[in-house]
Amino acid sequence: MKTPVTEMLSIEYPIFAFSHCRDVVAAVTNAGGFGVLGAVAHTPEELETDLTWIEEQTHGRPYGVDLLMPKKYAGADKGGAQRTELRTMIPDGHRAFLEGLLERYDVPPLPPAPRSGDAPKRAGLQVDGKSMAPLIDVAFRHDIRLLASALGAPPPWLVEQAHRRGVVVAALAGRVKHALAQVEAGVDIVIAQGTEAGGHTGEISTMVLVPQVVDAVAPVPVLAAGGIANGRQMAASLALGAAGVWCGSVWLTTHEAETSQAVRARMLAANSEDTTRTRSFTGKPCRVLRSEWTDAWEAPDAPAPLPMPLQSMLSDRPRRRVEAISERPGSRAAELLSPFIGQVVGQMNTVRPARRVVLDMVEELADAWQGVDDALSAD
Amino acid sequence: MKTPVTEMLSIEYPIFAFSHCRDVVAAVTNAGGFGVLGAVAHTPEELETDLTWIEEQTHGRPYGVDLLMPKKYAGADKGGAQRTELRTMIPDGHRAFLEGLLERYDVPPLPPAPRSGDAPKRAGLQVDGKSMAPLIDVAFRHDIRLLASALGAPPPWLVEQAHRRGVVVAALAGRVKHALAQVEAGVDIVIAQGTEAGGHTGEISTMVLVPQVVDAVAPVPVLAAGGIANGRQMAASLALGAAGVWCGSVWLTTHEAETSQAVRARMLAANSEDTTRTRSFTGKPCRVLRSEWTDAWEAPDAPAPLPMPLQSMLSDRPRRRVEAISERPGSRAAELLSPFIGQVVGQMNTVRPARRVVLDMVEELADAWQGVDDALSAD
């Protein structure tokens, strides 16, 4: 296949895999697609380890890294307030509400924090430039071919550094005006992400958003994101004018994914109507699998979610408590699990290797195309 | 072009135009598509007049009628309660809230009601089988080729009557399980409608919904609806497995549309993020252009919208007051206008004849497909 992004990144198929799991990233890159490691919750040491591992597996094939850099966040005006200082901005009522919820589902506190030196497996959501800088340094020391950024245009210094190193910069946009701002900031690829996507997402659907973004930013290539997990949806994306597809959810039930058994089982069973957009995890609307957690935050007695990064600071540790306990037999904590996932969860009914997902998409794409070709050529 | 629906209905292009305006219906049918008159707010006399007119214009070319037949509505258990009886179920607080809103925007009462015998131009939303029966009788006396139904599976007697007359039955579905229920009820064509659509709509996007419905109801043909207003979106729909497209919004800014100047101007200026799903008009979630009306009903002090048909009974007359006054120079009533429209409103920036919209879609479809063909055939 040949589109502006297969040319730009020397890949066989314009299928981009966003995943927090290095195994998925390597498998998709090796299958002829392009793996992108979601590294926002990595420590610099973890990122170093993962990128080294990916490069060992992929032997020079191209891959990328995704970080999260919102322009606005609470405390930004203070030039990056300390976490301890930010913590004082979380109302007691919010903490009490969340503790009450965890108690109702018998979720105990986490075991005592590890001694200093024993870093936690995940560092939690880092959203300020200061926390991101060491991760960016690690990424640039490796042979990444693409750096992706969500939530706002990447800062000029980052685009400049990337371009100096020959690294392509991609950024997500949920509205036409955001796409224009991304291009203004020097982005090389715009990822037009529809509301059906998992995680942080806007309100406009992929079908409506993609053609408008394609027209607005031409000749900058656009990837379609949100609602894409098979070859028919990939064919549709190309028909909308996209140069490729950016998929996240579909990898979560692959063999390689680090998804826990409890979460995987819920994903495999879920329908497309079982997701919801909630501000209860990060403060910004995120599409997740609906659960007792999201229902509780929608209830009339629930406090309004806090702005970024306060809501994450409030919910990250409780969320880890839920995850830690949810695998125990008989635990009710699983009812509180709300993994980030898109509406395509309704299509995710089998467990496949990530490589198979890529090859299935390519095959289905050809079939879908043949079907349309037959319709159009008949007269 | 040749798809299961072009064959079934003897049409050139599988482009279906849902419109309340008979001029649009006739123009689309004459352009080689398939016009469907939305007749839910017609009186039987109006429907008689409109269908006669359409047949005079279209000289035997196929067209259809759309009615609205929800299975459940308040009062249904009483076997069709009288409107006066239903009126007593509307809380005073709801009336006061709406009157307060109209007062703030200087919307006066309507002039005195016409004498009996002078039927109003529009009969208002009729949602019970009893009100629909005379409309169905009129439709069946004419040479309609398709009867479409929204909000629930059509009742068995209706499907049977239609099939006896050789009339194809189509029905909207926003979830896979609704599509399966439609097919179970004997529907010949399923219209899979994504959340981006205007009017009553579910939560799943077209990109995600269509392939799932196609697989679930095969070999029953599926039309894609929601987010489709140009040839790229039509190409995408066919790639998703649809046999054609069902479009509503795009006709509202055509030459032929009866859209008022104030509403048309707002549509032409709006972006895709300017719509919202509200229950404030009919009691069921409807996508409309956001306005001071919808914002007021979202406010913390607003009462919860009532179930069908009470919310319509509450809001229909105030809505007509707003429409009647909104054309006056200097009136603030236009700020309360919330026409039913989908997210494609952001693409609707020019006024074209309906025939031109059809032909543009066909041309863009060919171009879009050539683009995909080029990408796939390069190696």
Side-chain angles (χ1 to χ4, degrees), chain A residues 196 203 205 232 343 369, chain B residues 196 203 205 215 272 343 373:
Chain A
E196 52 267 73
E203 296 191 335
S205 80
R232 280 186 279 181
Q343 291 185 336
W369 184 87
Chain B
E196 52 268 72
E203 296 192 336
S205 79
D215 286 344
S272 287
Q343 291 186 336
D373 194 42

Side-chain angles (χ1 to χ4, degrees), chain B residues 313-335:
Chain B
M313 293 175 67
L314 171 67
S315 68
D316 271 2
R317 205 172 155 80
R319 213 171 135 198
R320 285 209 294 276
R321 284 167 58 184
V322 170
E323 279 167 17
I325 196 81
S326 63
E327 299 276 336
R328 285 199 205 157
S331 165
R332 293 188 60 207
E335 295 172 51

Side-chain angles (χ1 to χ4, degrees), chain A residues 275-359:
Chain A
T275 73
T276 186
R277 275 170 89 238
T278 182
R279 290 177 53 229
S280 65
F281 287 109
T282 69
K284 280 189 181 273
C286 256
R287 189 175 296 283
V288 301
L289 208 54
R290 197 180 146 182
S291 71
E292 295 296 333
W293 175 297
T294 59
D295 284 358
W297 281 94
E298 291 291 324
D301 64 327
L306 303 167
M308 259 192 174
L310 302 180
Q311 187 70 21
S312 292
M313 292 174 68
L314 171 68
S315 68
D316 271 3
R317 204 172 156 81
R319 212 171 138 199
R320 285 208 295 277
R321 283 166 59 183
V322 170
E323 280 167 17
I325 196 83
S326 64
E327 299 275 336
R328 284 198 205 158
S331 165
R332 293 188 62 207
E335 295 171 50
L336 293 170
L337 288 171
S338 267
F340 287 22
I341 197 152
Q343 291 185 336
V344 291
V345 71
Q347 304 168 214
M348 293 162 52
N349 306 319
T350 58
V351 177
R352 289 175 289 174
R355 178 183 186 79
R356 188 72 254 160
V357 173
V358 173
L359 301 180

Side-chain angles (χ1 to χ4, degrees), chain A residues 216-285:
Chain A
V217 305
V220 173
V222 173
L223 303 180
I228 303 157
N230 67 32
R232 280 186 279 181
Q233 289 155 335
M234 182 174 176
S237 302
L238 298 178
L240 293 175
V245 294
W246 176 271
C247 308
S249 300
V250 70
W251 317 107
L252 292 171
T253 51
T254 57
H255 282 156
E256 290 87 347
E258 285 169 358
T259 315
S260 76
Q261 283 310 312
V263 169
R264 192 184 292 255
R266 290 202 47 222
M267 288 177 177
L268 291 170
N271 295 322
S272 288
E273 53 265 38
D274 295 335
T275 73
T276 186
R277 275 170 89 238
T278 182
R279 290 177 53 229
S280 65
F281 287 109
T282 69
K284 280 189 181 273

Side-chain angles (χ1 to χ4, degrees), chain B residues 12-350:
Chain B
E12 206 170 342
Y13 310 121
I15 299 173
F16 291 70
F18 169 85
S19 176
H20 297 288
C21 169
R22 66 186 191 182
D23 300 79
V24 170
V25 172
V28 171
T29 281
N30 281 333
F34 192 96
V36 181
L37 187 71
V40 69
H42 277 61
T43 63
E45 297 71 27
E46 288 166 353
L47 187 60
E48 178 65 41
T49 305
D50 281 2
L51 298 191
T52 302
W53 185 90
I54 289 169
E55 288 173 0
E56 284 166 10
Q57 306 298 313
T58 54
H59 309 288
R61 285 173 175 268
Y63 76 98
V65 169
D66 184 285
L67 298 168
L68 191 82
M69 279 154 295
K71 272 168 137 174
K72 293 175 196 163
Y73 61 98
D77 52 325
K78 297 180 194 165
Q82 296 297 315
R83 276 180 93 79
T84 44
E85 198 175 325
L86 284 170
R87 285 208 177 279
T88 64
M89 296 165 72
I90 299 175
D92 289 341
H94 281 68
R95 295 186 196 280
F97 173 81
L98 201 40
E99 278 305 323
L101 179 63
L102 298 184
E103 264 172 42
R104 286 203 298 285
Y105 288 86
D106 304 321
V107 179
L110 284 176
R115 298 180 199 191
S116 71
D118 299 355
K121 170 75 182 131
R122 289 283 177 238
L125 200 62
Q126 313 287 312
V127 290
D128 54 301
K130 208 174 162 187
S131 311
M132 278 292 148
L135 293 176
I136 291 164
D137 287 346
V138 172
F140 280 148
R141 281 203 302 273
H142 284 266
D143 191 24
I144 62 167
R145 289 298 310 281
L146 177 140
L147 187 65
S149 144
L151 293 185
W157 62 267
L158 185 63
V159 173
E160 197 196 308
Q161 281 200 31
H163 285 171
R164 209 167 41 208
R165 290 171 166 87
V167 172
V168 167
V169 180
L172 269 81
R175 292 186 176 193
V176 170
K177 67 178 176 185
H178 298 161
L180 289 169
Q182 305 283 26
V183 170
E184 185 69 25
V187 154
D188 306 295
I189 297 176
V190 173
I191 304 160
Q193 189 195 42
T195 186
E196 52 268 72
H200 292 110
T201 183
E203 296 192 336
I204 307 173
S205 79
T206 298
M207 185 70 98
V208 173
L209 182 68
V210 171
Q212 290 186 50
V213 171
V214 166
D215 286 344
V217 306
V220 173
V222 174
L223 303 181
I228 302 156
N230 67 31
R232 280 186 278 180
Q233 289 155 334
M234 181 174 177
S237 301
L238 298 178
L240 293 175
V245 294
W246 176 272
C247 308
S249 300
V250 71
W251 317 107
L252 292 171
T253 51
T254 58
H255 282 156
E256 290 87 347
E258 285 168 0
T259 314
S260 76
Q261 283 310 314
V263 169
R264 193 184 291 256
R266 291 202 47 220
M267 288 176 177
L268 292 170
N271 294 321
S272 287
E273 53 264 37
D274 296 334
T275 73
T276 185
R277 276 171 87 238
T278 182
R279 290 176 55 229
S280 65
F281 287 108
T282 68
K284 278 189 183 273
C286 258
R287 189 175 297 283
V288 302
L289 209 54
R290 199 181 143 179
S291 70
E292 296 296 333
W293 176 297
T294 59
D295 283 359
W297 281 93
E298 291 292 324
D301 65 325
L306 303 166
M308 259 192 173
L310 301 181
Q311 187 70 21
S312 292
M313 293 175 67
L314 171 67
S315 68
D316 271 2
R317 205 172 155 80
R319 213 171 135 198
R320 285 209 294 276
R321 284 167 58 184
V322 170
E323 279 167 17
I325 196 81
S326 63
E327 299 276 336
R328 285 199 205 157
S331 165
R332 293 188 60 207
E335 295 172 51
L336 293 170
L337 287 172
S338 269
F340 286 22
I341 197 150
Q343 291 186 336
V344 292
V345 71
Q347 304 167 213
M348 293 161 53
N349 305 319
T350 57

Side-chain angles (χ1 to χ4, degrees), chain A residues 166-180:
Chain A
V167 172
V168 167
V169 180
L172 269 82
R175 293 185 174 193
V176 170
K177 66 179 176 186
H178 297 162
L180 289 170

Side-chain angles (χ1 to χ4, degrees), chain A residues 1-11 14 16 188-189 219-223 238 241-244, chain B residues 375:
Chain A
M1 287 185 61
K2 186 172 159 183
T3 77
V5 296
T6 61
E7 302 273 280
M8 188 186 283
L9 293 164
S10 310
I11 51 177
F16 291 70
D188 307 295
I189 297 175
V220 173
V222 173
L223 303 180
L238 298 178

